[in-house]
Amino acid sequence: MSIRFIDLHSHSTASDGSDTPAELVRNAAAAKLAAIALTDHDTTSGLDEAVREGRQRGIEVIRGCELGVRCEHGELHILGLWLPEDGGSTPLNATLAELRHHRATRNHRIAAQLRECGVDIEYAEVEAISGGESVSRLHFARILHEKGYVPSPQEAFARYIGPGGRAYVAKETLSPAGGVALLRSVGATVALAHPMLFRYPGNGFAEWLDDTVADLKSHGLDAIEAYHSEHSQADTRRCVDLAARHGLALTGGSDYHGAGKPGIALGRGRGGLRVTTAVLDSLKERRLRQRLPV
Ligand code: AMP
Ligand code: MN
Ligand code: MN
Ligand code: MN
């Protein structure tokens, strides 16, 4: 049997990706991936459509989401994989609705601050280009770019909406331990997303990350996202070491956003990414040991 590949981190129009959930799955099938996880920010609204399309295309779709959680030095991201199917009834869904409410509050403030910077923008325009379910700063970045305020969407983060930018507004959210515990409470497998993208102020990142991971493990953290489009080989090695030291599993994905992040392909990242089905098998074995469904 030939080696097959997977992608356990992707976004659809339910948050800030540009493919609908069904399109995303069709693209995954075209890329001959064996499995994907749809991990939209703060929402599960794309999952049913993606799972349905996956059944038709013969590709395994894992129900996921990505949460931004606030720690003393900024925002960490965590992924929940194998979310439960029971729609609106879990504590997770109630909290996701609150998080989206905080998102909307923050987004109105971003729009107001941008106007103070002389940018011609209404929040309704931002909502209009999103699916409306989970509006993110990437939508602001697209509009700032389309209107010619920045040479690329990326630059919108440096100049306006990223930390240190003139229209940066932090988002109210969960603590890292709270986020991990919430996802675990509904039977999800929880991974720390792209750890090496975290901008730690000053020296001592490795030690801080080690302590943070130890703490999160005590709240139920399962895995480290070692393989990611924006991780260098050295970053990946550090993550593999980190996971090994703490007895955690590995996960990986492209963080595909479609046209929202040009240059990042499903399953392939910027070209060098390859996550094999062995990664998925290890995650499943861990779940079986935990007596959780796969
Ligand atoms: P939000 O969840 O609203 O805070 O928006 C964060 C989203 O914006 C992330 O999920 C990324 O898709 C995108 N993003 C954040 N920082 C950058 C950056 N420096 N360059 C490009 N996209 C970014
Ligand atoms: Mn995003
Ligand atoms: Mn992220
Ligand atoms: Mn992501």
mmCIF file of all heavy atoms in Angstrom, residues 1 24 27 34 65 69 80 128 130 138 143 152 154 161 180 184 233 235 246 266 273 288-289:
data_model
loop_
_atom_site.group_PDB
_atom_site.id
_atom_site.type_symbol
_atom_site.label_atom_id
_atom_site.label_comp_id
_atom_site.label_asym_id
_atom_site.label_seq_id
_atom_site.Cartn_x
_atom_site.Cartn_y
_atom_site.Cartn_z
ATOM 1 N N MET A 1 0.831 -1.212 0.000
ATOM 2 C CA MET A 1 0.000 0.000 0.000
ATOM 3 C C MET A 1 0.861 1.256 0.000
ATOM 4 O O MET A 1 1.855 1.313 0.702
ATOM 5 C CB MET A 1 -0.903 -0.008 1.241
ATOM 6 C CG MET A 1 -2.287 -0.408 0.849
ATOM 7 S SD MET A 1 -3.678 0.233 1.744
ATOM 8 C CE MET A 1 -3.167 1.388 2.938
ATOM 9 N N LEU A 24 -14.302 22.521 0.115
ATOM 10 C CA LEU A 24 -13.066 22.139 0.814
ATOM 11 C C LEU A 24 -12.852 20.626 0.731
ATOM 12 O O LEU A 24 -11.760 20.145 0.411
ATOM 13 C CB LEU A 24 -13.167 22.597 2.273
ATOM 14 C CG LEU A 24 -12.023 22.236 3.195
ATOM 15 C CD1 LEU A 24 -10.851 23.181 2.960
ATOM 16 C CD2 LEU A 24 -12.450 22.328 4.647
ATOM 17 N N ASN A 27 -11.946 19.590 -2.700
ATOM 18 C CA ASN A 27 -10.528 19.896 -2.953
ATOM 19 C C ASN A 27 -9.613 18.881 -2.278
ATOM 20 O O ASN A 27 -8.568 18.518 -2.822
ATOM 21 C CB ASN A 27 -10.188 21.316 -2.488
ATOM 22 C CG ASN A 27 -10.729 22.359 -3.449
ATOM 23 O OD1 ASN A 27 -10.926 22.070 -4.623
ATOM 24 N ND2 ASN A 27 -10.990 23.558 -2.955
ATOM 25 N N ALA A 34 -6.448 11.328 2.452
ATOM 26 C CA ALA A 34 -7.253 10.262 3.045
ATOM 27 C C ALA A 34 -8.222 10.821 4.082
ATOM 28 O O ALA A 34 -9.292 10.251 4.317
ATOM 29 C CB ALA A 34 -6.340 9.220 3.698
ATOM 30 N N CYS A 65 -12.611 22.231 15.583
ATOM 31 C CA CYS A 65 -12.718 23.694 15.670
ATOM 32 C C CYS A 65 -11.391 24.222 16.211
ATOM 33 O O CYS A 65 -10.565 23.450 16.711
ATOM 34 C CB CYS A 65 -13.869 24.144 16.567
ATOM 35 S SG CYS A 65 -13.602 23.847 18.318
ATOM 36 N N VAL A 69 -7.126 31.375 22.671
ATOM 37 C CA VAL A 69 -7.235 31.488 24.133
ATOM 38 C C VAL A 69 -6.167 32.465 24.633
ATOM 39 O O VAL A 69 -5.089 32.566 24.038
ATOM 40 C CB VAL A 69 -7.081 30.104 24.817
ATOM 41 C CG1 VAL A 69 -8.286 29.226 24.512
ATOM 42 C CG2 VAL A 69 -5.803 29.401 24.382
ATOM 43 N N GLY A 80 -9.657 21.506 18.700
ATOM 44 C CA GLY A 80 -10.435 20.386 19.215
ATOM 45 C C GLY A 80 -10.757 19.481 18.047
ATOM 46 O O GLY A 80 -11.240 19.956 17.008
ATOM 47 N N ALA A 128 -20.424 41.242 5.274
ATOM 48 C CA ALA A 128 -20.942 40.821 3.970
ATOM 49 C C ALA A 128 -19.983 39.876 3.247
ATOM 50 O O ALA A 128 -20.424 38.973 2.544
ATOM 51 C CB ALA A 128 -21.237 42.044 3.104
ATOM 52 N N SER A 130 -17.994 37.814 4.715
ATOM 53 C CA SER A 130 -17.814 36.586 5.489
ATOM 54 C C SER A 130 -19.092 35.774 5.368
ATOM 55 O O SER A 130 -20.109 36.266 4.896
ATOM 56 C CB SER A 130 -17.571 36.928 6.953
ATOM 57 O OG SER A 130 -18.784 37.333 7.550
ATOM 58 N N LEU A 138 -8.986 38.384 9.353
ATOM 59 C CA LEU A 138 -8.601 38.109 7.971
ATOM 60 C C LEU A 138 -9.606 38.754 7.004
ATOM 61 O O LEU A 138 -9.225 39.190 5.914
ATOM 62 C CB LEU A 138 -8.518 36.591 7.747
ATOM 63 C CG LEU A 138 -7.801 36.111 6.494
ATOM 64 C CD1 LEU A 138 -6.378 36.647 6.409
ATOM 65 C CD2 LEU A 138 -7.787 34.579 6.445
ATOM 66 N N ILE A 143 -10.471 43.347 3.055
ATOM 67 C CA ILE A 143 -11.096 44.614 2.650
ATOM 68 C C ILE A 143 -10.062 45.730 2.593
ATOM 69 O O ILE A 143 -10.046 46.524 1.648
ATOM 70 C CB ILE A 143 -12.252 44.952 3.605
ATOM 71 C CG1 ILE A 143 -13.375 43.930 3.372
ATOM 72 C CG2 ILE A 143 -12.737 46.391 3.389
ATOM 73 C CD1 ILE A 143 -14.700 44.291 3.961
ATOM 74 N N SER A 152 -0.816 44.229 0.672
ATOM 75 C CA SER A 152 -1.215 42.817 0.746
ATOM 76 C C SER A 152 -2.059 42.641 2.010
ATOM 77 O O SER A 152 -1.919 43.425 2.958
ATOM 78 C CB SER A 152 0.028 41.916 0.835
ATOM 79 O OG SER A 152 0.682 42.137 2.075
ATOM 80 N N GLN A 154 -1.634 40.511 4.281
ATOM 81 C CA GLN A 154 -0.628 40.305 5.337
ATOM 82 C C GLN A 154 -0.217 41.623 5.986
ATOM 83 O O GLN A 154 -0.130 41.748 7.214
ATOM 84 C CB GLN A 154 0.600 39.663 4.671
ATOM 85 C CG GLN A 154 1.704 39.244 5.612
ATOM 86 C CD GLN A 154 1.415 37.895 6.220
ATOM 87 O OE1 GLN A 154 0.628 37.144 5.680
ATOM 88 N NE2 GLN A 154 2.054 37.603 7.331
ATOM 89 N N ILE A 161 -4.161 45.880 12.102
ATOM 90 C CA ILE A 161 -5.011 45.050 12.956
ATOM 91 C C ILE A 161 -4.268 43.987 13.752
ATOM 92 O O ILE A 161 -4.873 43.282 14.541
ATOM 93 C CB ILE A 161 -6.151 44.392 12.126
ATOM 94 C CG1 ILE A 161 -5.564 43.604 10.945
ATOM 95 C CG2 ILE A 161 -7.142 45.432 11.653
ATOM 96 C CD1 ILE A 161 -6.618 42.894 10.103
ATOM 97 N N VAL A 180 -8.871 24.215 26.985
ATOM 98 C CA VAL A 180 -8.516 22.787 26.917
ATOM 99 C C VAL A 180 -9.555 21.961 27.673
ATOM 100 O O VAL A 180 -10.073 20.958 27.162
ATOM 101 C CB VAL A 180 -7.096 22.539 27.498
ATOM 102 C CG1 VAL A 180 -6.825 21.045 27.658
ATOM 103 C CG2 VAL A 180 -6.038 23.183 26.601
ATOM 104 N N ARG A 184 -12.059 19.082 26.175
ATOM 105 C CA ARG A 184 -11.985 17.724 26.726
ATOM 106 C C ARG A 184 -13.317 17.289 27.324
ATOM 107 O O ARG A 184 -13.683 16.113 27.278
ATOM 108 C CB ARG A 184 -10.871 17.634 27.778
ATOM 109 C CG ARG A 184 -9.497 17.339 27.209
ATOM 110 C CD ARG A 184 -9.503 16.123 26.297
ATOM 111 N NE ARG A 184 -9.764 14.888 27.022
ATOM 112 C CZ ARG A 184 -8.836 14.084 27.473
ATOM 113 N NH1 ARG A 184 -7.556 14.345 27.275
ATOM 114 N NH2 ARG A 184 -9.164 12.998 28.130
ATOM 115 N N GLN A 233 11.572 23.274 9.432
ATOM 116 C CA GLN A 233 11.941 21.923 9.884
ATOM 117 C C GLN A 233 12.438 21.947 11.323
ATOM 118 O O GLN A 233 12.150 21.053 12.116
ATOM 119 C CB GLN A 233 13.006 21.338 8.964
ATOM 120 C CG GLN A 233 12.416 20.944 7.612
ATOM 121 C CD GLN A 233 13.398 20.194 6.727
ATOM 122 O OE1 GLN A 233 14.438 19.727 7.194
ATOM 123 N NE2 GLN A 233 13.082 20.080 5.461
ATOM 124 N N ASP A 235 11.474 24.093 13.605
ATOM 125 C CA ASP A 235 10.271 24.284 14.439
ATOM 126 C C ASP A 235 9.600 22.937 14.686
ATOM 127 O O ASP A 235 9.186 22.621 15.804
ATOM 128 C CB ASP A 235 9.255 25.200 13.730
ATOM 129 C CG ASP A 235 9.689 26.654 13.680
ATOM 130 O OD1 ASP A 235 10.535 27.061 14.501
ATOM 131 O OD2 ASP A 235 9.174 27.383 12.808
ATOM 132 N N HIS A 246 6.636 15.432 27.019
ATOM 133 C CA HIS A 246 5.420 15.498 27.827
ATOM 134 C C HIS A 246 4.467 14.330 27.585
ATOM 135 O O HIS A 246 3.350 14.323 28.106
ATOM 136 C CB HIS A 246 4.692 16.826 27.569
ATOM 137 C CG HIS A 246 5.464 18.018 28.055
ATOM 138 N ND1 HIS A 246 5.452 18.428 29.365
ATOM 139 C CD2 HIS A 246 6.314 18.849 27.413
ATOM 140 C CE1 HIS A 246 6.243 19.483 29.506
ATOM 141 N NE2 HIS A 246 6.785 19.759 28.331
ATOM 142 N N LEU A 266 -4.011 22.780 0.500
ATOM 143 C CA LEU A 266 -4.548 21.726 1.353
ATOM 144 C C LEU A 266 -3.600 20.522 1.310
ATOM 145 O O LEU A 266 -3.237 20.051 0.239
ATOM 146 C CB LEU A 266 -5.929 21.357 0.817
ATOM 147 C CG LEU A 266 -6.984 20.747 1.737
ATOM 148 C CD1 LEU A 266 -7.160 21.532 3.017
ATOM 149 C CD2 LEU A 266 -8.290 20.647 0.974
ATOM 150 N N LEU A 273 4.943 20.386 3.210
ATOM 151 C CA LEU A 273 4.186 19.708 4.277
ATOM 152 C C LEU A 273 3.717 18.322 3.829
ATOM 153 O O LEU A 273 3.190 18.173 2.729
ATOM 154 C CB LEU A 273 2.967 20.567 4.642
ATOM 155 C CG LEU A 273 2.165 20.140 5.871
ATOM 156 C CD1 LEU A 273 2.904 20.496 7.147
ATOM 157 C CD2 LEU A 273 0.792 20.807 5.861
ATOM 158 N N LEU A 288 -8.691 5.643 21.663
ATOM 159 C CA LEU A 288 -9.196 4.329 22.072
ATOM 160 C C LEU A 288 -8.731 3.993 23.481
ATOM 161 O O LEU A 288 -9.496 3.471 24.285
ATOM 162 C CB LEU A 288 -8.765 3.260 21.062
ATOM 163 C CG LEU A 288 -9.452 3.390 19.687
ATOM 164 C CD1 LEU A 288 -8.861 2.412 18.676
ATOM 165 C CD2 LEU A 288 -10.974 3.196 19.806
ATOM 166 N N ARG A 289 -7.469 4.351 23.789
ATOM 167 C CA ARG A 289 -6.970 4.140 25.158
ATOM 168 C C ARG A 289 -7.771 4.963 26.162
ATOM 169 O O ARG A 289 -7.952 4.558 27.302
ATOM 170 C CB ARG A 289 -5.477 4.516 25.261
ATOM 171 C CG ARG A 289 -4.531 3.512 24.612
ATOM 172 C CD ARG A 289 -3.097 3.684 25.114
ATOM 173 N NE ARG A 289 -2.548 5.002 24.848
ATOM 174 C CZ ARG A 289 -1.965 5.380 23.699
ATOM 175 N NH1 ARG A 289 -1.853 4.519 22.703
ATOM 176 N NH2 ARG A 289 -1.475 6.590 23.546
#
